[in-house]
Amino acid sequence: LSRRPLRLSQSRSAAVRVPRASPVMMANIKERTVRAPVFDEVCEQTGITLTRYMMEVSRANPELRDLESLISGIQQACKTISSLVDRATITGMVGYANGGGSINVQGEEQKKLDVVTNDVLKRALRFTGKVGIIASEEEDVPVFNKDAYKVPGGEGKYQDVTVDIGSKYVTVFDPLDGSSNVDANIPTGTIFGVYEEAESMENCMVNDDSVEGSCLLNTLQPGDALVASGYCLYSSSCMFVFTIGAGVNGFTYDRSIGEFVLTHPNIQLPKRGKIYSMNEANRWDWDKPLQDYVTAIQTGQGQTKAKYSSRYIGSMVGDVHRTLLYGGIFGYPADKKNKDGKLRLLYEAAPMSFLMEQAGGLSLTGKTRIMDLVPQKVHQRVPFLAGSYDDVMEMRSYYDACDDPEIIKRCLARLEGSAK
């Protein structure tokens, strides 16, 4: 055992900014302080596992004890998905679901792994007993988990009760981001976000007309209300990177012991990077301010006078992971065809924005802080530009100087929607 204490981060306040949200939503956003664990002893053989990390978080923050079970369910699902992705070509889990023609609510054709990984995550979360509502890219509407509001009773069966047993969370996720890349062996990943219930659903019945409305109320929360978020990257190694509001930590999957092991403590984005990451095939369809910004950093005419390099994987989890480690700016911006971008606010943009900010970075739509936006629908899309704080602020200065009425109108529409 190593006796040198390992401090993952200073105890930091995760007190949230008040978003431009509805009065109901604002009333339910809590200020919270999360105490990061300190490890006085570390096993030389196993290091600090994600399981131990969450046990220590629970001890340091008793109010988060139910989150330990939830994260355990997510990490178990990610291990399963990692195995499915690794063996996809061998097992025939490549290509389109049902031979093609299976379309999700996004209007996107589903891959076989989209369907399977969605089911894996739903089951893993449901079995924790801590998740009342599940929202996924692959589901038309949020799913109410009635089993979270039952307790064991009588001959091993469950009986309905009207008492809330512990915390109930709302979990949102994209089960396999970049699934179209699996056939080409390009990195993919799982993205997740965890909210507390804005309103208890303990008295809802599954066939009650109030369920759908209550599910939506609990699901459509701003990023500032997130309790935890993260991603699992399936690449040359499998990495689980997440935050509970006290910094960002990365764990690598050690298949020899079947555990995620802490390898990247206290991930901090550099204030500046030298990389930009966007799909330049759409460049001339981007907003003019973004075109001008990218031209400036390409040619050494930006604030740093350095010429930036271009790196683009085309898988959000992979591009975000590189940006977290090396800095710079990653974007999936608006263009003439997709004026609100293509990334979904609820389960892609907001969870990744929480990570970026916890690592010292920033995440904007161009001008607007993404964490401030309240989703108006489950699958709402937003532009996404995130990375090193100074790089993102330099990009924003081009939008601030822009007087294009259409761009201003779009920005105002997102803010007005969040204020309803």
Side-chain angles (χ1 to χ4, degrees):
L1 293 176
S2 170
R3 293 287 179 178
R4 186 176 64 183
L6 176 61
R7 297 182 180 274
L8 296 188
S9 67
Q10 297 296 324
S11 298
R12 75 172 66 184
S13 172
V16 299
R17 290 175 53 184
V18 177
R20 301 173 182 87
S22 67
V24 173
M25 198 63 68
M26 288 173 64
N28 283 285
I29 295 177
K30 304 173 182 177
E31 286 195 358
R32 64 180 79 246
T33 299
V34 179
R35 291 168 290 280
V38 176
F39 296 89
D40 294 322
E41 295 184 355
V42 179
C43 178
E44 294 177 354
Q45 300 303 315
T46 63
I48 298 171
T49 65
L50 179 54
T51 301
R52 182 187 172 195
Y53 177 87
M54 287 308 302
M55 290 173 63
E56 297 292 347
V57 165
S58 180
R59 290 174 61 187
N61 306 271
E63 70 280 6
L64 296 179
R65 63 185 182 279
D66 289 332
L67 191 63
E68 179 186 348
S69 298
L70 193 157
I71 296 296
S72 176
I74 293 175
Q75 70 157 306
Q76 188 60 48
C78 289
K79 293 173 187 176
T80 303
I81 294 171
S82 177
S83 177
L84 289 169
V85 170
D86 282 351
R87 304 184 68 248
T89 304
I90 297 171
T91 59
M93 290 296 292
V94 293
Y96 292 106
N98 302 319
S102 179
I103 307 297
N104 66 12
V105 68
Q106 319 292 326
E108 300 167 343
E109 196 162 13
Q110 290 180 307
K111 293 278 190 171
K112 291 178 183 178
L113 279 174
D114 286 325
V115 178
V116 175
T117 56
N118 186 63
D119 188 58
V120 167
L121 263 167
K122 280 172 60 180
R123 290 174 183 271
L125 291 167
R126 182 161 60 86
F127 296 157
T128 67
K130 304 301 179 185
V131 179
I133 302 167
I134 297 167
S136 164
E137 179 183 19
E138 305 303 329
E139 301 287 340
D140 292 0
V141 296
V143 177
F144 174 50
N145 177 26
K146 67 181 187 301
D147 291 339
Y149 302 89
K150 296 180 178 181
V151 292
E155 300 180 355
K157 297 181 180 180
Y158 286 88
Q159 59 182 191
D160 289 312
V161 293
T162 57
V163 179
D164 191 7
I165 308 300
S167 300
K168 296 296 180 289
Y169 292 100
V170 178
T171 304
V172 299
F173 57 83
D174 180 349
L176 194 61
D177 173 70
S179 59
S180 61
N181 293 325
V182 170
D183 299 13
N185 218 18
I186 294 171
T188 55
T190 296
I191 305 169
F192 67 89
V194 181
Y195 298 88
E196 288 183 340
E197 284 186 339
E199 180 180 284
S200 177
M201 295 187 65
E202 59 189 342
N203 295 319
C204 288
M205 297 302 168
V206 96
N207 58 353
D208 191 335
D209 290 339
S210 67
V211 168
E212 184 174 346
S214 296
C215 278
L216 283 172
L217 174 66
N218 279 293
T219 303
L220 300 180
Q221 299 189 53
D224 264 337
L226 280 162
V227 176
S229 77
Y231 60 80
C232 190
L233 172 66
Y234 313 115
S235 185
S236 56
S237 60
C238 177
M239 282 200 66
F240 191 95
V241 179
F242 83 124
T243 182
I244 54 172
V248 178
N249 293 288
F251 299 75
T252 301
Y253 187 36
D254 184 345
R255 298 179 190 278
S256 68
I257 61 173
E259 290 277 3
F260 284 102
V261 178
L262 181 66
T263 52
H264 293 66
N266 294 333
I267 296 174
Q268 286 290 307
L269 265 162
K271 286 291 186 181
R272 283 274 187 187
K274 294 183 179 179
I275 298 171
Y276 72 95
S277 178
M278 301 173 202
N279 183 358
E280 290 195 78
N282 299 322
R283 178 174 185 155
W284 306 116
D285 291 330
W286 294 341
D287 294 339
K288 186 63 164 55
L290 185 61
Q291 291 180 22
D292 292 343
Y293 166 69
V294 170
T295 298
I297 60 175
Q298 276 183 325
T299 59
Q301 301 300 309
Q303 292 177 359
T304 65
K305 304 304 179 185
K307 291 183 179 180
Y308 281 42
S309 299
S310 175
R311 299 285 186 275
Y312 184 68
I313 299 171
S315 174
M316 186 188 191
V317 172
D319 282 312
V320 166
H321 186 69
R322 182 198 57 249
T323 303
L324 276 174
L325 296 182
Y326 302 147
I329 185 167
F330 163 69
Y332 212 131
D335 57 42
K336 291 178 182 177
K337 182 180 177 182
N338 304 287
K339 296 190 176 181
D340 286 313
K342 291 196 70 175
L343 296 180
R344 275 59 59 129
L345 171 59
L346 183 67
Y347 47 81
E348 291 174 331
M352 288 302 204
S353 296
F354 190 27
L355 279 174
M356 285 288 182
E357 291 196 3
Q358 283 292 313
L362 187 60
S363 181
L364 306 174
T365 63
K367 290 187 67 171
T368 307
R369 179 174 175 260
I370 288 175
M371 294 281 282
D372 283 337
L373 298 176
V374 180
Q376 300 306 297
K377 52 186 178 181
V378 175
H379 303 290
Q380 177 183 341
R381 299 175 190 261
V382 292
F384 181 88
L385 293 153
S388 295
Y389 188 90
D390 289 349
D391 286 319
V392 177
M393 287 302 292
E394 181 180 355
M395 178 277 302
R396 179 179 175 171
S397 69
Y398 285 78
Y399 274 90
D400 288 340
C402 174
D403 58 2
D404 185 328
E406 183 182 345
I407 293 176
I408 295 171
K409 181 180 178 181
R410 290 204 309 264
C411 289
L412 290 175
R414 293 188 195 104
L415 292 174
E416 289 169 359
S418 294
K420 290 179 181 178

